[in-house]
Structure formats: C-alpha cells, structure tokens
Amino acid sequence: MSAVEHPVAPGRGANGGMSLPLKLFAAAAAVEIGAVAADWTALQWVAKPLLAPLLIWHLRRHGPLDTVAVGLAFATAGDIALLVPGEPAFLTGMLFFLGAQVSFIVAFLRRARPRWWAFAGYGLVWAGANAALWGQLGALRVPVLLYSLALTAMAAAAAGVSRRVALGGLLFLISDLLIGLDAAGTRLPAQGVLVMTTYSAALFLIATGWVRSRAPQPVNDPHAYSTSTS
C-alpha cells in the first residue's frame, strides 16, 4: 500500500494549522491593538517591536531571507521610533519606513511588473491625498510628499505579485494615510486602533503572500511527490 507525502503549505505547521511564527504574530498584534485602545504605552513597547521580526522568522522558515525581510527589518526600526513622542522621532520613523517601502518595491518589481493602471491609479491617489493635506501639514509637507510617493509606488508594485500582496500594499497605504490625517490635525474616532489594525493586516498579508509567491507551483503529475511503500 502506498501513501503520498504532501508538502506542507506555506504558512502552515506540520499538522496543517497555522505556523508558530504566525500564531505569535497574531497574539502580538492583538495585544498591540488592545494596548493602543487602552492607551497602555508600556505594553505597546512590548508588543509592537515584535510584529515584523515574527514575520521575518516566518519568511526564514520558508526559504532564505531576501529584500522583503530587509523591508520588515526597516519596519521594526520605524515601529520603535514611532513609539517615541515628538516630531524628530516621527521623522526618524518615516525615514526608516521609507527604507521599508524601497526594499518592498525592489523585491516586488523583481518578481513581476504590474499593469500600467496600477501605477496610474495609485498616482492619482498620491496626488489627491497630498493636495488635500498640503495646507495642514506645515513643516512636514516635503517629507510626507516624498514618503507617500514611495508608499504609493510600493502599493502599485505589490499589485503585480499576487492578490494577497496587493491587498497588503493597499492596507499599508490606508494605514499610513490615517497617520497622515492625524499629522494634518484630523483625528477619526478610534484612529489609533484603525492604524494598527490595518498596519498589522498589511504586514501579515505581504509576508504570507510573499511566501506563497515564492513557493513552487503545484503540478498534476502524481510522480512529482515522494512516495513511501508500507
């Protein structure tokens, strides 16, 4: 009698459940969102810096680290910087996240080139958002203009990789747009929770979608998998 050994799906553990890094990421994200809702700064310092490193661990479990992992490392530094109050820390965090966006762009464009309408559509979003916020940003106008250009380019480039990565890029854009609204003096109800929810989901979708995009495509050949006879 022969049994077929099926490969473990990306993001799954050996028993078919969610892998340990993703379980820990989900727990850290829940703690971080709860800490933001309750305004527990000390707990945010514990949970937020864990988010991207746990996804780097997930990437490493499924292959060698690449430019997406570099982007997640930049995101870790940016997360820590943004935990510090004040404009200098905000600008430092923006600089780190600029490194994250550039890293993601390089990785995504190496994988695939998105259709022209992705760049055109996101370009319109970039122009419209900056035009709407320009008068309220003050000294942050130019930094936000440059960072948001890289951010929208990342979201457009993500559209060429997969639907999951594309959704991650879109949620990253939404999360940072909410931060931009706050910097311009417009604060929505539960804005901090919305920022962290969309940001955590964005990182999760980008990392897990990237792992899936690197995985070998399934084939119909029954001899493609190893077999054992008992």
Side-chain angles (χ1 to χ4, degrees):
M1 180 177 178
S2 63
V4 177
E5 297 178 358
H6 296 283
V8 176
R12 299 290 179 177
N15 61 355
M18 186 180 291
S19 67
L20 178 59
L22 295 185
K23 288 179 180 178
L24 293 175
F25 174 85
V31 170
E32 167 61 15
I33 293 168
V36 170
D39 197 22
W40 292 341
T41 304
L43 194 55
Q44 292 177 51
W45 273 95
V46 174
K48 193 176 184 181
L50 294 176
L51 296 176
L54 287 169
L55 294 177
I56 294 174
W57 180 16
H58 173 67
L59 291 178
R60 184 63 187 88
R61 284 169 58 100
H62 293 280
L65 296 180
D66 56 15
T67 316
V68 169
V70 174
L72 290 172
F74 273 117
T76 303
D79 282 339
I80 294 171
L82 292 180
L83 285 169
V84 180
E87 187 172 301
F90 181 81
L91 291 172
T92 301
M94 189 183 299
L95 185 62
F96 281 127
F97 274 106
L98 177 62
Q101 306 307 342
V102 171
S103 299
F104 291 149
I105 290 169
V106 170
F108 298 162
L109 291 182
R110 283 177 178 171
R111 175 70 51 175
R113 296 298 174 93
R115 297 182 183 273
W116 65 268
W117 50 259
F119 284 103
Y122 276 115
L124 289 175
V125 171
W126 171 78
N130 278 278
L133 299 178
W134 189 259
Q136 291 77 45
L137 287 173
L140 293 174
R141 289 173 179 171
V142 174
V144 169
L145 182 75
L146 297 176
Y147 172 73
S148 61
L149 180 60
L151 174 65
T152 51
M154 179 279 297
V161 179
S162 69
R163 291 182 181 179
R164 178 177 284 254
V165 176
L167 180 56
L170 174 60
L171 289 177
F172 211 134
L173 177 64
I174 292 172
S175 179
D176 279 3
L177 178 59
L178 290 170
I179 295 175
L181 286 173
D182 190 24
T186 301
R187 189 166 184 83
L188 303 177
Q191 184 153 348
V193 171
L194 290 174
V195 167
M196 283 311 306
T197 300
T198 50
Y199 173 67
S200 300
L203 291 186
F204 178 87
L205 290 168
I206 288 172
T208 57
W210 187 248
V211 166
R212 291 187 180 189
S213 75
R214 297 192 309 180
Q217 296 300 311
V219 295
N220 295 324
D221 183 1
H223 300 290
Y225 303 115
S226 62
T227 59
S228 61
T229 303
S230 59

